[in-house]
């Protein structure tokens, strides 16, 4: 039952974005004359005393102006400005590093470069092109939204595949052309399974339906050989399965796709002191479906990271009060951020400095000015890889849910955020009733299948902002940010009723299961440990008083 995701990403249409980028470009154009006049004025004062060191405040100010123009010009539609400012930026940087008085030759060189910049500023700007970025306008899914598995061509008649997919909890529909299911057309997440020989046809059908950017295709081959997999990659398949389908492999791979399609937006923290350029980055990333926060003062970055759970950090190499290299080293001192990707943004092109940046914790070095598509591609690929790698260390191997340690860390983070925003957080414990009897009667393989079905039910019925973990054995933990205890109780009751309706089919016949749940809320209970303990005590009460029920700190206290 995913409900509105609650993301803070602005719903920016391509038309609105174009207007806002155009406004930024016009704002940048209005500052060009002023920046040049300030540079001329500062330079005039420097030339009266060329014996002063290049580290003097007025020289630093000239460098800041040149650095800003070199980095922002091309991105905002003024490529000639970037081209003219870049040599000044490089020269000022070298002179500051040299720490010696200016020579007559250096003075002449600066005069020539300022003149070149003056000529470039008079050249009209160009329109910033965003058409090569696929816009992502996120819609809030309705309360009955589910993940769909579509079977194409011959797979639509494969009864074993259909049965297996339904057994592990996937909504499965056979498609043979024509129109896709109405709910998929409305934007509900889906994946299309296609025989290897029909992948190109399947992708063509999605294009005709206007779903080529939204529905990934998984190729299904006969043996899973290298050449079959290579063929699937060349046809544009997102993943590969081979026959006969393996239950755990299918669940793992399709769940990974489902999670990626239904995951919260990629969260980006932008450490950039140039306000116009930072806003340009933010708008561009939000246009591609990401969530971005700007940090202009380096000393505030730790507070932003603590409340954001960032997937990636964009960091300018020069930030006024400190360098990006220094700031990166501070960020890396905190264990929670040791693996968060850091991409440095700078006009700096020297390989030695780029290598030093990587040595000090950077994951890549992007040279300004950046084209919008280049920025989106670099951020998206590295952030998604970070998420994928985190799954290997933060997730339970069977269910793919957060493990015990990380669900509690997530709880602490959500409580910290809720304390700042004065909102609620609910912690719920869910435990499958009589699970040992399932294992003893039907075997552990069936027990694992039950865990997978319950996992899929919980994940598919909660919001994208809710967090689910495997707390241990057959016990699950659910963290619901920005949710009252009353709302959470209603959701848990719906989950409990839906769980009791599922048929679990085995060679020994079918059976049903139930679960019990306990829930507590912040700020009624103030710390993560106490919240988890209270939810666990409520769960124990539910089990003790008959099972198949939801007990909360509220209804327990009133009983």
């Amino acid at each position: 039952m995913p409900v509105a995701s609650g993301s803070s990403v602005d719903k920016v249409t391509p038309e609105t974005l174009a207007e806002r980028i155009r406004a930024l470009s016009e704002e940048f154009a209005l500052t060009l004359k002023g920046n040049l006049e300030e540079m001329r004025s500062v330079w005039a004062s420097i030339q009266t005393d060329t014996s002063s060191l290049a580290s003097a405040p007025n020289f630093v100010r000239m460098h800041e102006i040149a650095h800003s123009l070199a980095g922002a010009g091309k991105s905002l539609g003024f490529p000639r400005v970037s081209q003219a400012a870049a040599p000044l930026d490089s020269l000022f940087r070298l002179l500051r590093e040299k720490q010696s008085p200016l020579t007559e030759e250096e003075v002449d060189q600066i005069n020539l470069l300022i003149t070149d910049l003056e000529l470039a500023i008079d050249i009209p700007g160009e329109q910033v092109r965003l058409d090569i970025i696929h816009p992502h306008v996120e819609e809030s899914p309705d309360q009955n939204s589910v993940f769909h598995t579509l079977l194409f061509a011959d797979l639509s008649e494969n009864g074993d595949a259909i049965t297996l997919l339904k057994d592990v909890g996937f909504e499965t529909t056979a498609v043979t052309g024509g129109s896709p299911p109405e709910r998929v057309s409305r934007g509900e997440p889906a994946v299309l399974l296609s025989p290897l020989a029909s992948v190109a046809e399947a992708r063509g059908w999605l294009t005709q339906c206007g779903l080529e950017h939204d529905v990934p295709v998984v190729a299904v081959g006969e043996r899973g050989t290298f050449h079959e997999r290579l063929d699937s990659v060349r046809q544009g398949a997102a993943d590969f399965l081979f026959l006969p389908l393996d239950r755990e492999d299918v669940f793992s791979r399709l769940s990974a796709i489902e999670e990626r399609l239904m995951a919260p937006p990629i969260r980006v923290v932008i450490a950039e002191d140039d306000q116009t350029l930072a806003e340009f980055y933010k708008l561009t990333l939000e246009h591609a479906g990401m969530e971005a926060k700007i940090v202009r003062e380096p000393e505030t970055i730790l507070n932003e990271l603590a409340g954001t759970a960032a997937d990636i950090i964009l960091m300018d190499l020069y930030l006024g009060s400190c360098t990006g290299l220094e700031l990166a080293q501070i960020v890396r001192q905190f264990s929670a951020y040791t693996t968060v990707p850091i991409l440095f943004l700078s006009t700096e092109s020297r390989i030695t400095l780029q290598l030093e940046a990587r040595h000090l914790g950077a994951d890549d070095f992007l040279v300004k000015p950046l084209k919008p598509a280049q920025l989106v591609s670099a951020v998206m690929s590295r952030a998604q890889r970070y998420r994928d790698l985190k799954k290997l260390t933060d997730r339970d191997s069977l269910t793919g849910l957060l493990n015990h340690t990380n669900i509690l860390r997530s709880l602490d983070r959500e409580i910290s955020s809720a304390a700042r925003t004065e909102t609620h957080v609910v912690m719920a414990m869910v435990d499958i009733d009589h699970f040992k009897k399932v294992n003893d009667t039907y075997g552990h393989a069936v027990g694992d299948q039950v865990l997978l079905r319950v996992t899929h039910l919980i994940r598919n019925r909660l919001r994208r902002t809710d967090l689910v973990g495997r707390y241990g054995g057959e016990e699950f933990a659910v963290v619901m940010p920005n949710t009252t205890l009353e709302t959470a109780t209603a959701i848990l009751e719906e989950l409990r009723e839906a769980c009791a309706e599922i048929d679990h089919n085995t060679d020994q016949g079918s059976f049903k299961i139930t679960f019990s749940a306990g829930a507590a809320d912040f700020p009624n209970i103030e710390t993560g440990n106490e919240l988890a303990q209270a939810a666990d005590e409520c769960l124990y009460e539910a089990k003790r008083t008959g099972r198949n029920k939801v007990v909360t700190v509220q209804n327990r206290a009133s009983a």
Side-chain angles (χ1 to χ4, degrees):
M1 184 190 65
V3 296
S5 67
S7 167
S8 62
V9 177
D10 293 336
K11 305 303 185 288
V12 181
T13 66
E15 294 74 20
T16 304
L17 178 77
E19 292 176 5
R20 291 170 68 174
I21 293 294
R22 184 164 51 250
L24 280 179
S25 180
E26 291 172 355
E27 178 184 332
F28 179 75
L30 292 174
T31 66
L32 289 176
K33 295 284 187 184
N35 279 325
L36 183 63
E37 289 174 2
E38 182 181 0
M39 183 179 286
R40 284 283 192 191
S41 175
V42 173
W43 179 230
S45 68
I46 291 176
Q47 289 186 91
T48 62
D49 182 14
T50 56
S51 63
S52 63
L53 292 176
S55 59
N58 49 9
F59 197 90
V60 171
R61 178 55 188 155
M62 285 188 69
H63 185 197
E64 289 175 349
I65 295 172
H67 179 71
S68 176
L69 296 179
K74 186 176 181 179
S75 296
L76 294 171
F78 294 84
R80 293 293 295 275
V81 171
S82 282
Q83 185 179 353
L88 270 173
D89 181 25
S90 298
L91 178 58
F92 289 156
R93 186 181 300 119
L94 291 173
L95 292 175
R96 289 177 64 184
E97 291 174 359
K98 191 172 70 167
Q99 292 289 303
S100 61
L102 299 175
T103 66
E104 184 176 340
E105 181 182 355
E106 289 165 347
V107 170
D108 290 340
Q109 188 176 6
I110 291 173
N111 276 319
L112 287 172
L113 291 175
I114 291 178
T115 300
D116 288 343
L117 179 58
E118 189 170 26
L119 294 173
I121 284 174
D122 290 332
I123 299 173
E126 303 173 357
Q127 183 177 354
V128 180
R129 291 194 60 190
L130 293 165
D131 55 329
I132 56 176
I133 303 175
H134 175 60
H136 179 97
V137 182
E138 185 172 333
E139 300 291 342
S140 297
D142 63 44
Q143 292 192 348
N144 297 312
S145 179
V146 296
F147 176 71
H148 298 262
T149 302
L150 310 178
L151 300 184
F152 191 75
D154 293 345
L155 283 177
S156 64
E157 301 174 359
N158 189 319
D160 291 340
I162 294 173
T163 299
L164 183 147
L165 289 164
K166 289 183 175 180
D167 279 348
V168 292
F170 289 106
E171 182 81 16
T172 304
T173 305
V175 295
T176 56
S179 300
E182 182 182 351
R183 294 171 69 175
V184 175
S185 296
R186 291 203 312 261
E188 291 195 354
V191 63
L192 181 63
L193 270 59
S194 169
L196 178 59
S198 304
V199 168
E201 182 184 353
R203 296 187 68 225
W205 174 70
L206 289 173
T207 300
Q208 292 174 7
C209 299
L211 298 171
E212 67 272 21
H213 297 293
D214 303 311
V215 179
V217 176
V218 174
V220 180
E222 294 293 333
R223 296 176 298 279
T225 64
F226 173 82
H227 293 291
E228 279 191 339
R229 294 176 185 272
L230 178 61
D231 188 13
S232 73
V233 169
R234 287 175 172 172
Q235 292 188 70
D239 207 336
F240 186 93
L241 295 169
F242 61 90
L243 298 171
L245 297 177
D246 177 78
R247 186 182 305 274
E248 289 190 15
D249 186 45
V250 167
F251 182 84
S252 173
R253 292 182 181 278
L254 295 190
S255 292
I257 293 174
E258 175 187 13
E259 185 171 349
R260 182 173 295 189
L261 291 174
M262 301 185 73
I266 286 173
R267 296 172 290 261
V268 188
V269 169
I270 304 169
E272 170 64 70
D273 58 353
D274 186 311
Q275 182 174 355
T276 303
L277 194 55
E279 186 65 22
F280 172 76
Y281 294 152
K282 184 175 187 289
L283 286 173
T284 301
L285 295 173
E286 288 181 349
H287 177 61
M290 292 177 253
E291 179 180 316
K293 287 188 177 181
I294 297 172
V295 175
R296 295 194 60 203
E297 303 298 333
E299 58 267 25
T300 66
I301 192 169
L302 295 177
N303 289 335
E304 289 294 345
L305 290 173
T308 302
D311 296 303
I312 193 166
I313 303 169
L314 294 182
M315 189 177 292
D316 191 8
L317 194 58
Y318 300 98
L319 293 166
S321 61
C322 71
T323 69
L325 294 178
E326 293 167 336
L327 186 58
Q329 290 178 80
I330 293 173
V331 169
R332 294 301 194 212
Q333 290 173 3
F334 293 82
S335 59
Y337 314 131
T338 53
T339 59
V340 178
I342 296 177
L343 299 189
F344 275 124
L345 304 171
S346 178
T347 55
E348 178 64 66
S349 58
R350 287 177 292 175
I351 296 298
T352 52
L353 192 61
Q354 293 186 23
L355 291 175
E356 181 185 0
R358 288 185 171 89
H359 176 70
L360 294 176
D363 293 88
D364 207 345
F365 202 104
L366 303 179
V367 178
K368 297 179 183 178
L370 289 168
K371 294 181 179 179
Q374 179 188 4
L375 175 67
V376 169
S377 176
V379 171
M380 184 75 77
S381 61
R382 285 160 181 80
Q384 189 58 60
R385 190 176 301 120
Y386 168 68
R387 284 187 169 184
D388 291 342
L389 289 174
K390 274 180 66 68
K391 292 177 187 177
L392 300 178
T393 56
D394 295 357
R395 303 301 181 99
D396 170 65
S397 59
L398 174 64
T399 62
L401 300 176
L402 290 169
N403 59 30
H404 181 101
T405 300
N406 283 288
I407 191 64
L408 291 180
R409 285 179 181 170
S410 298
L411 174 63
D412 288 338
R413 185 177 65 246
E414 295 300 338
I415 288 176
S416 176
S417 177
R420 289 194 302 273
T421 57
E422 298 184 350
T423 54
H424 292 256
V425 177
V426 173
M427 170 72 161
M429 295 290 193
V430 175
D431 189 89
I432 299 174
D433 296 327
H434 302 298
F435 185 70
K436 184 177 183 300
K437 183 177 179 181
V438 172
N439 280 332
D440 291 344
T441 304
Y442 301 101
H444 287 278
V446 173
D448 287 348
Q449 178 181 327
V450 169
L451 289 173
L452 295 178
R453 290 293 299 274
V454 174
T455 294
H456 196 268
L457 171 71
I458 295 174
R459 285 203 314 198
N460 217 27
R461 295 293 186 98
L462 294 177
R463 300 171 305 173
R464 291 165 53 176
T465 50
D466 296 329
L467 301 160
V468 187
R470 187 179 181 190
Y471 206 68
E474 66 274 21
E475 189 173 1
F476 301 87
V478 180
V479 177
M480 303 181 187
N482 196 24
T483 305
T484 65
L485 188 59
E486 291 76 14
T487 299
T489 302
I491 293 171
L492 290 168
E493 288 288 4
E494 290 180 15
L495 279 172
R496 184 185 61 78
E497 293 172 3
C499 180
E501 293 298 317
I502 297 175
D503 287 316
H504 298 273
N505 300 308
T506 73
D507 293 338
Q508 299 166 263
S510 64
F511 63 94
K512 298 179 185 291
I513 61 152
T514 60
F515 72 65
S516 303
D521 67 313
F522 171 90
N524 183 43
I525 298 173
E526 295 184 351
T527 71
N529 286 337
E530 291 172 340
L531 199 58
Q533 181 178 349
D536 208 35
E537 289 173 356
C538 289
L539 171 62
Y540 175 77
E541 184 72 9
K543 305 284 274 189
R544 188 185 68 81
T545 56
R547 296 183 168 85
N548 190 23
K549 63 173 63 175
V550 178
V551 173
T552 71
V553 288
Q554 189 177 67
N555 60 30
R556 182 188 182 197
S558 62

